[in-house]
Every structure is written in C-alpha cells, then in structure tokens.
Amino acid sequence: MAYFTSSADADAAAISRLNISEKPGLKLRVLNHWDNLDGSIERGYAGQSLWNWKELPEKIDPRLHDYARANASIGINGSVLNNVNSSFASLTTEYLSKAAAIAAVFRPYGIRVYLSARFSAPIELGGLKQPDPLDSEVAEWWKKKADEIYKAIPDFGGFLVKANSEGQPGPRTYNRSHADGANMLAAAVAPHNGVVIWRAFCL
C-alpha cells in the first residue's frame, strides 16, 4: 500500500515523498509458467511463450522488462520459466545461459527465476543408471548441478518438481517417498539458500 504524506494532489507529489508500507502475507509470490522450450505453452490460449529460447541469450525481448516491472508492481518476486512437465534440456549448460539472461533482466525488479527440474535428469544428463534419491551418486549429481546453476544465476530461486504425477518420474518409481526426493534436492540447493517446491498428487 502506498499513500501520500502531503495533502497535495497525488499526481503532483514527487515519488521521493511517497511513504510506502509493505506487509505481504506470503514470502514467496511466484508465477508458475507452463512454457515449453519450443515456444508452445501447455494449456495456453494466448499465443506463444514470452521466452524466446531460440534467440536467447544474445537477443533480449524488451517485453521481458515490461513483464518484470508489471509483476514487481503487484508484489510478485519469482517466476518459474518452464513447464512442470519439464524437459531435461532446461538443465543443460546451453539453456542455463538463456535462463541467466532472463534472470539478469528480472534482477533489478526483485524477481528471481526458478526452473522446473525433471527428476530423471541424472539419467538423461548425467549418465547414471537411475535417479534414486537415496543413492549418493544421485545426490552428488544434483549438488553439482545446483552449484553450476548458482554460478550462472547467483540469485536463482530454486526448483519446482512435478513428481510421480501424470506420468512424470519421481521417487516413488524407485520405492522412495516424496520426502526422500524433496529432501535430496533441498540439500543440493540449501548451501545457496534455494527453495524446492514439490508438486505431487496425494493418494
């Protein structure tokens, strides 16, 4: 909420004279985009994705600044860039550099970027045999991946994971609990003060 300390017309008052009071009820106010790397949007009805992955990081769409400014004005402080039905490619070095370019635009507006992480990425990217969250090699892979991400994006928000839901891989595939999976990823981002948002259906 913002109000003027002077009785003068609000339109004439200087921004420097604004008395701003903020008390959000939620610490994390994050938008969850279901955007795919090919530019399509799952269940989207208003055209293509705002993130032009093909042109990033070299070309920055000026609308990204508009997006960040508009969302910051209503208290949004985070944005998940990719679909919860995620592709492992979003965690590759190539796409992390693209996400870093978006993060650089959002940073002045206090908005952090998040990524949906595919639980089976240690197989698809790391060449491991399985992504069992209690396997030390798997945990180490995620730790190194988190370190890589935070090197590229120092204020990275963290991971959103859709696990064992609608065909997506997750810890229950390997007879582990959701807590096992979430805690393993949380340990990977904890040194960087990152967040894990765990999305799953409860049965």
Side-chain angles (χ1 to χ4, degrees), residues 142-191:
W142 279 108
K143 180 182 182 300
K144 289 180 178 178
K145 178 55 65 175
D147 290 344
E148 178 188 356
I149 294 173
Y150 280 97
K151 185 176 181 179
I153 311 172
D155 56 351
F156 179 65
F159 294 128
L160 169 63
V161 182
K162 180 180 180 182
N164 290 120
S165 171
E166 299 179 321
Q168 294 299 300
R172 296 190 64 170
T173 307
Y174 308 94
N175 297 315
R176 306 302 185 188
S177 69
H178 285 300
D180 291 331
N183 288 338
M184 181 269 295
L185 284 174
V189 300

Side-chain angles (χ1 to χ4, degrees), residues 1 21-26:
M1 178 181 70
S21 176
E22 297 179 346
K23 192 176 181 181
L26 297 174

Side-chain angles (χ1 to χ4, degrees), residues 25-106:
L26 297 174
K27 181 178 179 180
L28 297 180
R29 301 175 298 281
V30 180
L31 296 180
N32 179 197
H33 292 273
W34 281 33
D35 296 26
N36 299 311
L37 300 184
D38 64 1
S40 64
I41 302 175
E42 185 171 339
R43 303 179 195 177
Y45 305 98
Q48 293 291 95
S49 171
L50 184 60
W51 332 126
N52 192 332
W53 296 107
K54 289 184 179 179
E55 296 184 349
L56 287 164
E58 289 80 12
K59 184 177 180 180
I60 304 295
D61 189 327
R63 294 179 300 167
L64 297 183
H65 293 275
D66 298 334
Y67 168 97
R69 184 169 61 249
N71 282 299
S73 74
I74 58 172
I76 299 297
N77 61 12
S79 181
V80 183
L81 302 181
N82 59 323
N83 192 352
V84 291
N85 298 313
S86 59
S87 166
F88 67 86
S90 63
L91 297 179
T92 62
T93 300
E94 176 188 0
Y95 277 91
L96 290 179
S97 69
K98 297 172 186 287
I102 296 175
V105 175
F106 290 0

